[in-house]
């Protein structure tokens, strides 16, 4: 397994390099630049700015410099948020997003898996139908609607929850709920279908014939097999969720990383675009490796090569 | 085993959230006195006076710093760090006398040399201040300074309390520039020790204004506390101001309704109809005009008659009051309310003999007549025209309105929506036919906006080129006689309005919600909210 992880990490490095290269050239092909404003900056000031950040050099040279610096862990200064380095932006904003995202994934997992099981076991009955309807809604309703409904209901009408910032545990409830909505629904559906699949297997019938209690057969035999697709989904989900959601952060005024992804692109803040992209890519790949390892633990039949 | 699996999974999930650290945002530092909680925009890109070019940052600088001069509640120049000042007879030498006992927010002394350093820093190519040329371009030695020889800039401090500035050409509005945030003093030792990063941490963000930054959580809030070392600290009633960096207007509105903030700048446009008439909803003009640029170098827009026809066909009253829900005012001139004439009166009131240049409503007959005279009776023979804009605020509804308004005179318009970052360079390079444009003044001298149509100006997106216009602006630039200067500026506006150089559409307003609990705050035509002397009623 150790060899396998090494191999995967090797591939990961190449993947990240490819992503970085593609992003670098694509973003430079898009018209516009970081020093634009409605009011024209004087040519002298523009030239000085470009010289300061090395944007006056040929693109290939910029690329080589960037990759070289990045290899040394230097992701450069933000071109828009003057005085901040890309590393410091990610270091200050990622923890916030990760806390909310991590809690959301945890909630989605803890709620989605049992709901999926209940639904599968009650297939065709009322409970199943209710869960399916709810899950479909959870997938179909966009997060800004959920945010707005939550905010209006609990923030404005009932006045139970604060709507601004992250100062206490109460502040976490709405953003975490909003963020957990979609993955909960998805996990429920995933769990339901894979559970139904497993419940139809011969070994389940054998277990039942042996007189194993329903509870034991479900948890000991069915769940471990049925949970595999959920685990697969959990990796990328976690990577996406902990890097923040633009919409949820914007609506609840949360200083997370999600806004930086969108903001850096609209601002053409090249170094931040690169930094956040590489960060997300790295996280995504690591999560996938982690998922593979968890796979092996859940299902010893799986061989990692 | 089953438990182990579940716990492994949970561990995997939780590690990530743990690794990221559970350091919850530090609770707001306890400050003495009342805290005013407001929302005047999202996270500023920078609050370094030399680097800022945005109104969001400007609002912060206004509270944290004070320039030599300031703008008072009536829009007039007032003493700031300088108590008195004078200019030489030829208008080329300005001398500012600082107040006694000025201090930085860290308690150390502030002298005229701090201004010398700060102004030279604005010229430093390594700082690359976007407004360097605007605020110091007329100072002697600027050209050398911007090239790197900072000491060439003719700004000196004969003693700790005197600042002398030598200009290469007269600048009658230099007082406005001396009150411009870019020229705020910054502390040399701190800036040199920390580089650009001095302006991101409260510990190193030393300022000299009525407040100083005590906390900044990017994307969340900035807290400024009363600066006890400010010369007029006794007049400050608040203990601190919390600027909530809310980006979403609905979130801001919710926070306002909950009482979490007492003033919000970003009001959701869909709420406006229900807010009109409320004593908590305010609309106040700022110096600036929403206008439409013609690419005057290409056919058919090189013909003033075509420009006239398109201009006259627009019902500005409808645009401002219906499409823009009264958050703008119909523009009948290029220069709207708030611009200050050379004698301190309203520039707009003195323009065109006190009469508006155009009617606020549409003049379809006049438009058709102009089209016919241009050789396009009822729009026949005109190609399909193209209007470019980005999609934000009212830009798209305005574009759709133009489409229908111009259809009435037989003009077919196609709308091209372009992403903002691509739109700006496209417009600047003249790669368009008709494009949305707008200008909000940096200072209230009319030259700030009239310069837009000067043939070589970098913001002359319409490439308007009229020798008479340039000549009038040249006079305005070189004379030190206020009356002659005023006449030249008005002549310039006459020329561009008679030539229909562009389409002034609506004057900008700021609109906001403010609790009646806030006392002693005011909004200026620069788009700034002055909370420094505010108080909260119990």
């Amino acid at each position: 397994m150790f060899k396998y992880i090494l191999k995967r990490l090797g591939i990961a490095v190449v993947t990240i390099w490819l992503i970085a290269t593609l992003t670098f050239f694509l973003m430079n092909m898009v018209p516009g630049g970081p020093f634009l404003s409605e009011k024209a900056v004087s040519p002298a000031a523009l030239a000085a700015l470009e010289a300061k950040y090395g944007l006056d050099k040929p693109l290939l040279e910029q690329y080589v410099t960037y990759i070289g610096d990045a290899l040394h862990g230097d992701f450069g200064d933000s071109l828009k948020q003057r005085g901040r380095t890309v590393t410091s932006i990610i270091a200050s904003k990622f923890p916030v997003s990760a806390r909310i995202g991590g809690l959301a994934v945890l909630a989605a997992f803890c709620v989605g898996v049992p709901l999926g099981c209940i639904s599968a076991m009650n297939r065709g009955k009322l409970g199943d139908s209710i869960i399916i309807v709810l899950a479909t809604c959870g997938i179909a309703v966009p997060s800004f609607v959920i945010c707005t409904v939550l905010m209006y209901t609990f923030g404005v009408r009932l006045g139970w929850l604060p709507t601004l910032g992250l100062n206490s545990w109460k502040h976490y409830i709405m953003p975490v709920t909003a963020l957990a909505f979609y993955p909960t629904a998805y996990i429920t559906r995933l769990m339901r279908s894979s559970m139904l699949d497993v419940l139809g297997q011969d070994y389940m019938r054998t277990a039942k014939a042996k007189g194993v209690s329903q509870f034991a057969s479900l948890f000991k035999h069915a769940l471990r097999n049925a949970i595999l697709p959920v685990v697969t989904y959990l990796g990328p989900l976690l990577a996406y969720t902990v890097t923040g959601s633009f919409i949820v952060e914007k609506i609840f005024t949360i200083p997370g990383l999600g806004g930086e992804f969108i903001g850096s692109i609209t601002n053409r803040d090249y170094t931040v675009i690169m930094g956040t992209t590489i960060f997300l890519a790295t996280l995504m790949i690591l999560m996938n490796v982690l998922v593979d390892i968890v796979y092996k633990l859940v299902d010893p039949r799986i061989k990692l090569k | 085993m089953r438990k182990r699996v579940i716990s492994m999974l949970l561990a995997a999930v939780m590690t990530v959230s743990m690794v990221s650290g559970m350091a919850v945002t530090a609770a707001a530092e306890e400050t003495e006195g009342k805290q005013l909680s407001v929302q005047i925009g999202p996270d500023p890109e920078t609050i370094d006076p030399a680097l800022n070019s945005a109104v969001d940052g400007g609002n912060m600088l206004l509270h944290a710093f004070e320039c030599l001069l300031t703008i008072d509640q009536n829009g007039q120049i007032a003493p700031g760090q300088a108590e008195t000042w004078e200019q030489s007879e030829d208008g080329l030498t300005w001398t500012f006398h600082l107040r006694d006992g000025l201090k930085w927010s860290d308690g150390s002394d502030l002298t005229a040399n701090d201004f010398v350093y700060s102004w030279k820093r604005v010229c430093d190519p390594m700082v690359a201040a976007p407004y360097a040329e605007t605020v110091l371009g007329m100072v002697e030695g600027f050209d050398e300074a911007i090239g790197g020889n900072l000491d060439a800039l003719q700004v000196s401090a004969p003693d700790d309390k005197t600042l002398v500035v030598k200009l290469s050409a007269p600048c009658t509005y230099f007082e406005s520039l001396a009150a411009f945030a870019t020229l705020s003093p910054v502390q040399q030792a701190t800036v040199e020790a920390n580089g650009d990063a001095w302006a991101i941490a409260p510990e190193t963000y030393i300022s000299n204004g009525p407040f100083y930054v005590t906390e900044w959580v990017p994307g969340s809030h900035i807290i400024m506390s009363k600066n006890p070392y400010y010369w007029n600290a006794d007049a400050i009633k608040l203990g601190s101001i919390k600027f909530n960096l809310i980006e979403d207007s609905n979130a801001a509105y919710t926070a306002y309704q909950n009482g979490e903030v007492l003033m919000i700048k970003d009001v959701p446009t869909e709420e406006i109809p229900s807010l009109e008439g409320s004593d908590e909803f305010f609309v106040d003009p700022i110096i600036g005009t929403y206008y439409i640029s013609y690419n005057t170098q290409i056919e058919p827009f090189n013909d003033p008659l075509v420009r006239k026809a398109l201009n006259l066909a627009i019902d500005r009253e409808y645009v401002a009051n219906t499409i823009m829900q009264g958050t703008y005012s119909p523009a009948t001139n290029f220069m709207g309310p708030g611009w200050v004439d050379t004698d301190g009166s309203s520039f707009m009131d003195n323009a065109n003999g006190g009469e508006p240049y155009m009617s606020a409503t549409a003049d379809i007959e006049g438009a058709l007549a102009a089209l016919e005279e241009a050789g396009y009776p009822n729009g026949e023979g005109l190609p399909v025209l193209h209007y470019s804009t980005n999609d934000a605020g009212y830009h798209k509804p305005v574009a759709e309105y133009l489409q229908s308004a111009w259809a009435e005179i037989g003009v077919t318009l196609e709308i091209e929506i372009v992403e903002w970052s691509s739109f700006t360079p496209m417009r600047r390079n003249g790669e368009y036919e008709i494009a949305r444009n707008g200008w909000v003044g940096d200072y209230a001298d009319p030259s700030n906006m009239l310069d837009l149509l000067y043939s070589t100006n970098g913001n002359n997106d319409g490439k308007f080129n009229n020798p008479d216009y340039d000549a009038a602006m040249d006079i305005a630039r070189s004379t030190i006689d206020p009356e002659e200067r005023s006449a030249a500026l008005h002549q310039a506006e006459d020329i561009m309005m008679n030539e229909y150089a562009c389409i002034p559409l609506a004057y900008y307003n700021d609109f906001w919600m403010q609790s009646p609990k806030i006392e002693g705050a005011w909004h200026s035509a620069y788009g700034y909210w002055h909370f420094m002397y505010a108080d909260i009623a119990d």
Side-chain angles (χ1 to χ4, degrees):
Chain A
M1 186 153 107
F2 182 67
K3 217 171 140 191
Y4 169 79
I5 294 174
L6 268 187
K7 194 175 131 197
R8 282 294 299 262
L9 290 180
I11 297 171
V13 171
V14 178
T15 315
I16 292 165
W17 170 72
L18 277 174
I19 291 172
T21 308
L22 262 177
T23 312
F24 187 89
F25 288 103
L26 280 176
M27 80 185 176
N28 274 293
M29 277 162 64
V30 182
F35 308 123
L36 285 175
S37 63
E38 285 272 320
K39 298 181 178 181
V41 177
S42 74
L46 193 66
L49 273 169
E50 288 186 338
K52 177 168 175 161
Y53 292 104
L55 299 183
D56 54 343
K57 304 216 170 63
L59 198 56
L60 211 62
E61 192 183 330
Q62 287 182 42
Y63 169 74
V64 173
T65 315
Y66 181 82
I67 295 291
D69 288 346
L71 284 176
H72 292 93
D74 176 8
F75 290 91
D77 295 333
S78 163
L79 306 178
K80 284 301 244 189
Q81 305 175 43
R82 296 276 299 265
R84 293 185 197 279
T85 63
V86 175
T87 316
S88 78
I89 291 174
I90 295 178
S92 73
K93 296 202 159 175
F94 174 65
V96 180
S97 295
R99 225 176 299 134
I100 296 178
L103 286 170
V105 172
L106 193 65
F109 184 80
C110 294
V111 176
V113 170
L115 273 187
C117 292
I118 295 170
S119 185
M121 278 155 43
N122 296 294
R123 187 183 183 182
K125 294 183 191 154
L126 183 68
D128 179 35
S129 309
I130 293 173
I131 290 172
I132 286 298
V133 168
L134 284 178
T136 310
C137 287
I139 285 174
V141 180
S143 65
F144 71 90
V145 174
I146 295 165
C147 288
T148 315
V149 169
L150 284 174
M151 195 178 221
Y152 182 74
T153 316
F154 298 102
V156 181
R157 283 280 130 181
L158 301 171
W160 292 348
L161 296 172
T163 58
L164 204 59
L166 284 178
N167 295 326
S168 71
W169 63 270
K170 275 188 174 177
H171 287 84
Y172 282 81
I173 297 177
M174 286 200 283
V176 169
T177 312
L179 215 50
F181 225 75
Y182 178 86
T184 307
Y186 197 89
I187 289 176
T188 305
R189 287 168 57 119
L190 211 57
M191 195 65 212
R192 178 182 181 272
S193 60
S194 87
M195 189 56 124
L196 283 175
D197 204 33
V198 170
L199 288 178
Q201 296 288 329
D202 289 344
Y203 60 82
M204 289 307 293
R205 207 176 309 130
T206 313
K208 198 174 177 184
K210 263 169 57 183
V212 179
S213 74
Q214 201 193 9
F215 184 82
S217 73
L218 188 72
F219 277 92
K220 207 162 180 181
H221 303 288
L223 191 62
R224 276 182 66 188
N225 286 301
I227 211 162
L228 283 175
V230 175
V231 174
T232 318
Y233 172 62
L234 222 48
L237 170 72
L238 203 52
Y240 267 126
T241 318
V242 294
T243 44
S245 150
F246 173 66
I247 290 165
V248 174
E249 284 172 10
K250 193 175 162 185
I251 293 183
F252 293 106
T253 314
I254 294 165
L257 196 57
E260 295 294 333
F261 283 96
I262 311 287
S264 64
I265 294 169
T266 29
N267 285 329
R268 304 284 192 273
D269 195 340
Y270 294 143
T271 45
V272 180
I273 298 180
M274 290 300 294
T276 48
T277 308
I278 292 176
F279 182 71
L280 177 62
T282 311
L283 207 61
M284 187 69 85
I285 291 167
L286 284 181
M287 285 301 155
N288 278 323
V289 175
L290 200 70
V291 161
D292 284 354
I293 298 167
V294 173
Y295 250 36
K296 169 85 179 152
L297 294 173
V298 177
D299 189 346
R301 290 171 305 181
I302 292 174
K303 293 228 166 27
L304 301 176
K305 277 180 194 157
Chain B
M1 182 64 195
R2 149 185 113 222
K3 274 185 187 157
R4 223 186 84 206
V5 172
I6 304 272
S7 63
M8 286 294 291
L9 274 171
L10 292 185
V13 175
M14 290 182 75
T15 327
V16 178
S17 51
M18 292 297 178
V19 165
S20 58
M22 292 299 276
V24 182
T25 320
E29 215 172 282
E30 282 300 318
T31 41
E32 284 175 31
K34 293 175 191 169
Q35 184 177 76
L36 175 64
S37 189
V38 298
Q39 185 265 342
I40 48 174
D43 221 358
E45 273 167 11
T46 173
I47 50 171
D48 182 331
L51 301 183
N52 178 61
S53 60
V55 74
D56 297 335
N59 264 306
M60 302 296 162
L61 296 178
L62 183 72
H63 291 86
F65 286 92
E66 185 174 81
C67 295
L68 289 170
L69 307 178
T70 58
I71 312 282
D72 70 11
Q73 195 164 355
N74 304 313
Q76 303 295 323
I77 299 286
Q81 297 279 289
E83 202 161 18
T84 56
W85 64 98
E86 69 255 354
Q87 59 171 316
S88 61
E89 264 184 34
D90 59 3
L92 291 177
T93 307
W94 289 74
T95 311
F96 297 90
H97 305 282
L98 303 193
R99 292 175 192 276
D100 286 324
L102 289 177
K103 287 191 187 304
W104 292 102
S105 57
D106 64 356
S108 59
D109 291 335
L110 184 152
T111 69
N113 277 306
D114 290 307
F115 281 94
V116 174
Y117 165 73
S118 308
W119 290 26
K120 286 181 177 171
R121 176 175 178 260
V122 168
C123 298
D124 189 344
M126 285 314 287
V127 171
Y131 270 114
E133 198 174 341
T134 312
V135 295
L136 292 173
M138 69 300 295
V139 175
E140 210 178 308
F142 174 79
D143 292 337
E144 290 162 66
I146 201 83
N149 178 16
L150 300 184
D151 288 331
L153 194 75
Q154 290 304 302
V155 180
S156 59
D159 61 65
D160 278 357
K161 283 184 57 197
T162 313
L163 185 77
V164 178
V165 186
K166 288 206 164 68
L167 307 186
S168 52
C171 176
T172 47
Y173 57 92
F174 194 69
E175 288 170 333
S176 298
L177 300 179
F180 197 83
T182 305
L183 295 181
S184 303
V186 294
Q187 200 179 47
Q188 183 168 6
T190 317
V191 174
E192 285 179 350
N194 298 284
D196 276 355
W198 79 275
I200 59 168
E203 303 79 53
T204 53
Y205 193 69
I206 310 292
S207 62
N208 73 326
F211 288 79
Y212 71 108
V213 174
T214 42
E215 191 178 319
W216 182 4
V217 180
S220 175
H221 60 267
I222 290 178
I223 294 178
M224 291 195 198
S225 301
K226 174 179 173 174
N227 175 7
Y229 299 106
Y230 180 59
W231 65 270
N232 199 15
D234 290 347
I236 297 169
K237 299 173 192 86
L238 293 172
S240 59
I241 306 175
K242 182 178 183 184
F243 296 98
N244 294 280
L245 309 171
I246 308 175
E247 222 175 297
D248 183 65
S249 62
N250 284 304
Y253 187 62
T254 306
Y256 182 83
Q257 283 178 307
N258 287 352
E260 286 179 81
V261 294
L262 292 182
M263 176 265 163
I264 55 164
K265 179 193 177 185
D266 293 320
V267 182
T269 47
E270 60 272 20
E271 299 289 344
I272 290 171
S274 68
L275 291 172
E276 272 162 315
S278 155
D279 57 358
E280 296 181 32
F281 182 66
F282 297 84
V283 180
D284 198 35
I286 54 173
I287 41 171
T289 305
Y290 186 123
Y291 66 98
I292 294 165
S293 284
Y294 298 114
N295 189 343
T296 58
Q297 295 302 309
I298 59 168
E299 281 190 25
F301 311 105
N302 54 358
D303 184 349
L305 285 168
V306 173
R307 304 200 294 254
K308 180 182 180 182
L310 296 176
N311 235 310
L312 294 184
I314 296 170
D315 185 343
R316 293 166 168 80
E317 195 89 47
Y318 180 78
V319 171
N321 293 328
T322 306
I323 295 179
M324 295 166 158
Q325 300 176 296
T327 56
Y328 286 69
S329 307
T332 52
N333 296 9
F334 186 52
M335 307 297 291
W339 297 98
V340 181
D341 212 332
T342 53
D343 62 355
S345 62
S346 159
F347 187 81
M348 185 173 147
D349 291 349
N350 305 336
N352 198 30
E355 291 295 312
Y357 286 99
M358 292 182 298
S359 156
T361 49
D363 173 8
I364 299 293
E365 280 171 27
L368 285 170
L371 267 189
E372 184 153 2
E373 202 183 332
Y376 306 107
N378 294 317
E380 286 157 27
L382 266 182
V384 172
L385 307 184
H386 296 89
Y387 181 76
S388 308
T389 179
N390 59 319
D391 183 12
Y394 296 110
H395 300 337
K396 218 157 114 181
V398 165
E400 284 157 3
Y401 166 77
L402 292 174
Q403 208 169 27
S404 67
W406 289 344
E408 285 191 45
I409 55 168
V411 172
T412 312
L413 185 71
E414 275 180 14
I415 300 169
E416 285 168 356
I417 304 284
V418 188
E419 187 221 3
W420 185 85
S421 306
S422 311
F423 176 63
T424 317
M426 186 184 102
R427 190 175 61 189
R428 197 151 294 150
N429 298 335
E431 294 155 8
Y432 71 94
E433 292 181 11
I434 313 172
R436 172 198 77 77
N437 219 324
W439 184 264
V440 176
D442 303 306
Y443 44 88
D445 188 80
S447 65
N448 183 245
M449 190 156 130
L450 286 168
D451 268 341
L452 294 181
L453 296 161
Y454 193 83
S455 59
T456 55
N457 189 286
N459 283 306
N460 182 1
D461 296 334
K463 316 291 169 211
F464 180 67
N465 191 341
N466 182 305
D468 295 339
Y469 188 88
D470 286 4
M473 290 308 292
D474 286 338
I475 294 174
R477 235 172 258 179
S478 55
T479 180
I480 52 168
D481 175 19
E483 280 180 28
E484 190 189 2
R485 183 160 188 275
S486 171
L489 291 168
H490 284 296
Q491 193 199 346
E493 193 184 12
D494 292 346
I495 294 170
M496 57 89 40
M497 288 306 292
N498 289 333
E499 284 278 311
Y500 298 95
C502 63
I503 307 178
L505 198 65
Y507 303 130
Y508 287 108
N509 290 315
D510 269 330
F511 54 96
W512 72 99
M513 299 200 69
Q514 183 175 316
S515 157
K517 282 187 188 166
I518 301 182
E519 294 170 347
W522 75 88
H523 170 261
S524 78
Y526 290 76
Y528 295 145
W529 279 268
H530 297 245
F531 292 116
M532 53 282 273
Y533 299 121
D535 198 1
I536 306 170
D538 295 316

